[in-house]
Amino acid sequence: MEQRLQLLTLGVRDLAAARRFYVEGLGWESTLEVEGEVVFIQLGHGLLLGLYADLANDAGVELTSAGTPPFSLAHNLDSEQAVSDFAARAEAAGATVVKPPQQAAFGGFHAYFTDPEGFLWEIAHNPGLSFAPDGRAQFGG
Amino acid sequence: MEQRLQLLTLGVRDLAAARRFYVEGLGWESTLEVEGEVVFIQLGHGLLLGLYADLANDAGVELTSAGTPPFSLAHNLDSEQAVSDFAARAEAAGATVVKPPQQAAFGGFHAYFTDPEGFLWEIAHNPGLSFAPDGRAQFGG
């Protein structure tokens, strides 16, 4: 059984605002957009982020929309300065920095922000986690 | 600005139960485990899934724990039968199938389940989405 995740889909209430944040604010290019419905953004080797306005209906479940959902997405960077710069750019693009850039318990440096929909991102410089050329995670460094 | 997601961290209430589901139930190997704290599972090229008991404290935000959080993780497979098989295996491992395997609006075949913590997964066969050898998403097919 292959261990794979190909799509991470955020069920957004305001697709236009989510698009403004990720595509215009962060400057990430979209791969495919269906207006009023979905925006796909490539976020790695074989991985797409989806911003999707109709997730609840598609899955047939009621989705929780209040507060911060219990998960985070992490964007790792090469230096502490890059973490601070990214947090500032995200804030300028409409994010709320909920934990300012600071030393992290894991030994690196990080910040957390929530995007305009309330999704939680960690921006981290973590010398203890790297990825080999074949993509495998390597802990300790 | 590089478009990358390296970590997807689920803030779990019951780490042991989450581990049982993903590692023992689905049979996915963990890359690193710190007992009582975190389990990391490689889910692709340069991508880790984290099961983390202390996300709220680490991020300094209150996390929503009721209901289904507004996002899904997708695991894509090569055939309709594989989708049905995976849904059955997930159910046997403790998942709740919230949308049984069926034809999907996007033209393929899919099912949705929630894991023991309530996180939503889509299991899909989607002939209209593939990934090139370099990992880039290709729509239409």
Side-chain angles (χ1 to χ4, degrees), chain B:
Chain B
M1 177 174 273
E2 200 188 8
Q3 304 186 188
R4 289 288 300 174
L5 173 71
Q6 291 95 340
L7 267 171
L8 171 61
T9 303
L10 304 179
V12 299
R13 289 158 290 180
D14 187 337
L15 180 61
R19 186 193 180 284
R20 271 198 303 279
F21 178 74
Y22 288 99
V23 177
E24 294 167 36
L26 296 188
W28 288 355
E29 286 179 25
S30 61
T31 297
L32 178 73
E33 300 196 23
V34 182
E35 191 169 345
E37 191 176 326
V38 69
V39 173
F40 289 107
I41 298 168
Q42 183 109 27
L43 276 197
H45 187 286
L47 177 69
L48 290 173
L49 177 72
L51 312 173
Y52 186 33
D54 202 33
L55 179 60
N57 183 50
D58 190 51
V61 291
E62 194 174 337
L63 301 176
T64 304
S65 58
T68 301
F71 77 108
S72 66
L73 307 103
H75 182 69
N76 287 1
L77 294 162
D78 286 342
S79 69
E80 297 188 1
Q81 187 60 48
V83 171
S84 298
D85 291 348
F86 195 107
R89 177 159 184 175
E91 190 166 35
T96 301
V97 176
V98 296
K99 186 177 190 179
Q102 59 191 267
Q103 299 301 318
F106 59 72
F109 188 84
H110 72 166
Y112 279 97
F113 68 79
T114 51
D115 81 0
E117 290 275 338
F119 293 111
L120 184 66
W121 280 81
E122 182 185 24
I123 307 300
H125 171 55
N126 185 354
L129 171 62
S130 61
F131 292 92
D134 69 355
R136 280 179 193 271
Q138 297 176 312
F139 285 94

Side-chain angles (χ1 to χ4, degrees), chain A residues 18-62:
Chain A
R19 187 195 180 285
R20 270 198 303 278
F21 177 73
Y22 288 100
V23 178
E24 295 168 35
L26 296 188
W28 288 355
E29 285 178 26
S30 61
T31 297
L32 179 73
E33 301 195 24
V34 181
E35 191 168 345
E37 191 176 326
V38 69
V39 173
F40 289 107
I41 298 169
Q42 182 110 26
L43 276 197
H45 186 287
L47 177 68
L48 290 173
L49 177 72
L51 312 174
Y52 186 34
D54 203 33
L55 180 59
N57 183 51
D58 189 52
V61 292
E62 194 174 338

